[in-house]
Amino acid sequence: MIELEGVPELIDPVMVAAFEGWNDAGDAASTAVAHLDREWKGEVFAALDAEDYYDFQVNRPTVWLDGGVRRITWPTTRLSVVRIGGEKPRDLVLVRGIEPSMRWRSFCNELLGFAHELGVEMVVILGALLGDTPHTRPVPVSGVTSDPDLARTMDLEETRYEGPTGIVGILQEACTHAGVPAVSLWAAVPHYVSQPPNPKATLALLNRLEDLIDLRIPLGELPEDARAWQVGVDQLAAEDSEVAEYVRTLEEARDTAELPEASGEAIAREFERYLRRRDGGPAQAHGGHATEGGDSTYLRDTAGGRTRPLKPPRPERESRSEDGDGESGSGSGESSED
């Protein structure tokens, strides 16, 4: 483990983690944590030793120039801390990285060591999966946990998934066995437009996180980016009659499934969020800027432009479910939570 700075004293900390790779369709989850780090000017205090967990032929280091000096940024997982001010200040420990190539149990144990040392009260892991969901409807976000008591008290689903899993599922189970409350939030990304970025899914994850930890998150330009993304996909879909028809089929299936649940609960949740933003809340951060090691340059380069949606045929189930811990048993990636 590489110590970048001394471990700070934290107030009521919650750890929020996301990992690039299999658990991160459309880069929605990793972008959400990057947004939190950027908006609240996260201060990096530690990083895991890259050689312990990564295959550099799979996740290659990058070389860059710093004032004429060549430097190397290694793929790894970094931890930063942000303090949210207000009447009741609290801290978030942000974990950003890439799904490790090896030694997953040691990887989780190291993160749990930080959680224990910092007095973390709860771990929230963000993920995104590919699903049969139309881009024109609100992004389904499910909240799942392995703890039946936590599921009951926080109105979450108790995961029943069986099958291949990713680092999100492994870390959640490690937290459960260590007695650390842990929740996974999963956004469903349309499989026919899976290319990153997907600001609409990122926004949905942040809204759900807001509700879960009762904290106002500054959204910056994300709402506008999400609207622009949807308009762009609308235009691309309209150019292909097969894709347009497939989207209409997904819309009908989604609307039919949700008709009995067009309840006051979802409306109340949106109204509460509106009131929280109108009245103001703890959206200011106090703390240092991210160090060089915390820069987003360690994230992999992704295509920033929008590309044509894929043809309608469904992908294999493994790719749609990503880390199936986000499923509610239907295999669609959708949830009654949203």
Side-chain angles (χ1 to χ4, degrees):
M1 178 173 58
I2 304 171
E3 295 285 352
L4 301 182
E5 294 183 10
V7 177
E9 293 290 334
L10 303 183
I11 302 172
D12 301 328
V14 172
M15 179 178 282
V16 181
F19 304 95
E20 295 179 46
W22 201 53
N23 313 272
D24 193 23
D27 289 355
S30 58
T31 302
V33 174
H35 176 88
L36 296 174
D37 192 75
R38 182 175 59 253
E39 289 293 322
W40 278 321
K41 298 180 174 59
E43 182 179 356
V44 174
F45 64 87
L48 307 190
D49 191 336
E51 291 200 6
D52 288 343
Y53 305 113
Y54 295 98
D55 180 345
F56 298 139
Q57 290 183 322
V58 176
N59 297 294
R60 293 186 178 273
T62 57
V63 179
W64 54 287
L65 291 175
D66 179 17
V69 178
R70 292 175 67 82
R71 299 187 183 278
I72 297 176
T73 300
W74 296 93
T76 188
T77 294
R78 293 181 171 85
L79 291 86
S80 59
V81 62
V82 298
R83 175 154 296 174
I84 297 91
E87 295 181 2
K88 295 181 179 180
R90 76 177 312 172
D91 294 307
L92 296 183
V93 178
L94 304 179
V95 180
R96 286 197 294 161
I98 305 168
E99 183 176 65
S101 306
M102 61 195 81
R103 302 186 183 93
W104 284 17
R105 285 177 291 188
S106 298
F107 180 87
C108 292
N109 286 337
E110 194 161 352
L111 290 180
L112 282 168
F114 274 113
H116 177 73
E117 186 173 356
L118 298 172
V120 166
E121 298 179 346
M122 182 170 65
V123 175
V124 182
I125 316 165
L126 306 183
L129 51 84
L130 299 180
D132 294 330
T133 182
H135 72 277
T136 53
R137 297 294 185 264
V139 175
V141 178
S142 59
V144 298
T145 180
S146 299
D147 185 334
D149 294 330
L150 197 62
R152 184 171 56 257
T153 57
M154 301 194 73
D155 192 25
L156 301 167
E157 297 177 34
E158 187 178 354
T159 180
R160 300 294 183 188
Y161 172 76
E162 296 177 308
T165 190
I167 194 60
V168 171
I170 298 299
L171 180 56
Q172 178 167 312
E173 291 307 305
C175 290
T176 300
H177 288 296
V180 178
V183 175
S184 296
L185 299 181
W186 288 93
V189 171
H191 67 77
Y192 59 90
V193 58
S194 60
Q195 297 85 355
N198 190 319
K200 187 173 181 178
T202 295
L203 180 62
L205 280 171
L206 291 175
N207 283 336
R208 189 69 171 85
L209 178 65
E210 231 184 20
D211 295 337
L212 183 72
I213 63 177
D214 192 24
L215 182 69
R216 179 179 170 236
I217 297 173
L219 298 177
E221 297 179 356
L222 262 179
E224 182 58 35
D225 291 343
R227 285 189 288 270
W229 176 87
Q230 181 165 325
V231 169
V233 178
D234 284 343
Q235 294 171 348
L236 289 172
E239 296 172 5
D240 190 312
S241 59
E242 292 182 34
V243 172
E245 178 59 30
Y246 183 60
V247 172
R248 282 193 292 272
T249 300
L250 292 179
E251 289 173 339
E252 292 173 2
R254 173 77 179 273
D255 294 344
T256 300
E258 290 192 345
L259 188 59
E261 301 196 12
S263 64
E265 183 178 343
I267 298 173
R269 203 160 45 228
E270 290 299 318
F271 186 61
E272 288 172 2
R273 185 179 295 121
Y274 162 76
L275 291 178
R276 185 162 58 238
R277 292 194 174 281
R278 186 195 66 177
D279 297 336
Q284 300 299 319
H286 303 283
H289 292 268
T291 64
E292 175 185 283
D295 191 275
S296 61
T297 53
Y298 76 92
L299 298 174
R300 71 176 185 275
D301 290 333
T302 55
R306 298 185 185 90
T307 57
R308 171 178 288 275
L310 301 178
K311 289 289 185 180
R314 301 184 182 189
E316 294 298 323
R317 178 174 176 82
E318 288 79 10
S319 66
R320 279 197 293 117
S321 62
E322 294 288 317
D323 181 337
D325 294 286
E327 292 189 353
S328 59
S330 65
S332 69
E334 298 186 20
S335 164
S336 59
E337 287 288 313
D338 244 56

